[in-house]
Amino acid sequence: MDFGISILSVVPVRALPDDRSEQVTQILFGELVYILEKREKWLFVQLAADNYQGWVSAGQIKQFDKNYFEFLQNQELWVTIDLVQVLYNVTRNFSMLVTAGSSFYQCRDNRFNLVGDEWEYYGNIRQVKTFDIGLVTDAAMLFLHVPYIWGGRSVMGIDCSGLTQLVFKMSGKSIHRDASQQATQGEMVNLIHEALVGDLLFFDNGEGVIIHTGILLPENNIIHAHQKVRIDKVDHHGIFNTDQSRYSHKLRLIKRITDYIG
């Protein structure tokens, strides 16, 4: 098995090895992958952080061996906490923009080495040591008004579970990718009046399938990605869309993410 990393800002992961195929998720700068299959100009990868699988263009992943993969996994992990900021490749003398939640390794004074190059980040980073639920709200608010895009995980477009996954990554906790997967994690909260700020709320369709998620804010508000990242009211019925003056999503369950999420 080979291994790899994204050294681009955002790499689309597709359902099929075809540029016209739907995007199922995205790989941000510094995120690691297992390479499970190679087919012409395509790689079938599994993201190391959440085991999500899909096809990426081979030219968009930097490949290396198991030794370097394990070396990176054992390094201190840092994440970017600016919505978007400049990353400078000192070795090759070029700059690029990277989005919130990008991953760096073994940073010192905002500098790090990766795949043979030295890099410098011009924004704010946080070392991932422990989960801090107090950071969730501020991280979520960074994405307010970002447009909804299926499979998105960046400032240019994000989906509902991409938002929750990225916000928790920035706060120090790795969770699954899809809403239905995230709903299997954490501790159950039985009633909405027992829920705390930062809890994850999940919503289902008419068939009982969980299709949506969001993060509880103070004063019975929820931040979620629906057409755009927005704030609406929420109660035991579900999300009340303030623009449409109707309930848009039916509440199914509430989960609390802790240091141990099961």
Side-chain angles (χ1 to χ4, degrees), residues 7 75 85 92-93 148-149 155 177 193 228:
I7 53 172
Q75 301 303 299
Q85 189 52 271
R92 302 176 189 270
N93 190 29
Y148 179 95
I149 291 180
V155 60
R177 177 60 178 89
H193 71 261
K228 65 178 181 179

Side-chain angles (χ1 to χ4, degrees), residues 96-222:
M96 58 191 288
L97 295 175
V98 294
T99 190
S102 298
S103 299
F104 305 153
Y105 302 88
Q106 205 72 28
C107 290
R108 293 293 180 270
D109 299 323
N110 278 39
R111 288 196 173 210
F112 61 96
N113 290 295
L114 189 63
V115 291
D117 288 351
E118 183 179 3
W119 304 76
E120 182 175 6
Y121 182 64
Y122 293 158
N124 299 297
I125 56 178
R126 175 178 183 266
Q127 186 177 358
V128 179
K129 285 186 174 180
T130 58
F131 174 47
D132 186 347
I133 189 66
L135 299 176
V136 167
T137 298
D138 288 344
M141 292 299 291
L142 283 176
F143 294 90
L144 195 60
H145 303 299
V146 167
Y148 179 95
I149 291 180
W150 178 264
R153 293 179 68 231
S154 81
V155 60
M156 300 310 296
I158 202 163
D159 63 22
C160 67
S161 56
L163 172 66
T164 52
Q165 186 191 48
L166 205 51
V167 164
F168 274 83
K169 177 183 179 180
M170 294 166 65
S171 305
K173 177 61 63 178
S174 177
I175 63 175
H176 294 321
R177 177 60 178 89
D178 289 343
S180 59
Q181 297 171 327
Q182 293 173 6
T184 67
Q185 299 180 277
E187 300 175 355
M188 185 72 74
V189 177
N190 294 319
L191 300 170
I192 194 163
H193 71 261
E194 298 174 345
L196 302 176
V197 171
D199 285 347
L200 289 177
L201 280 63
F202 296 92
F203 307 85
D204 62 13
N205 60 17
E207 288 72 47
V209 178
I210 291 174
I211 58 169
H212 191 67
T213 185
I215 301 169
L216 187 66
L217 298 179
E219 300 180 357
N220 299 317
N221 290 306
I222 185 172

Side-chain angles (χ1 to χ4, degrees), residues 226 230 232-233 239-249:
H226 177 62
R230 53 183 294 125
D232 288 306
K233 289 295 183 181
I239 296 174
F240 188 80
N241 187 299
T242 52
D243 292 337
Q244 301 175 355
S245 297
R246 67 176 183 87
Y247 284 97
S248 60
H249 297 84

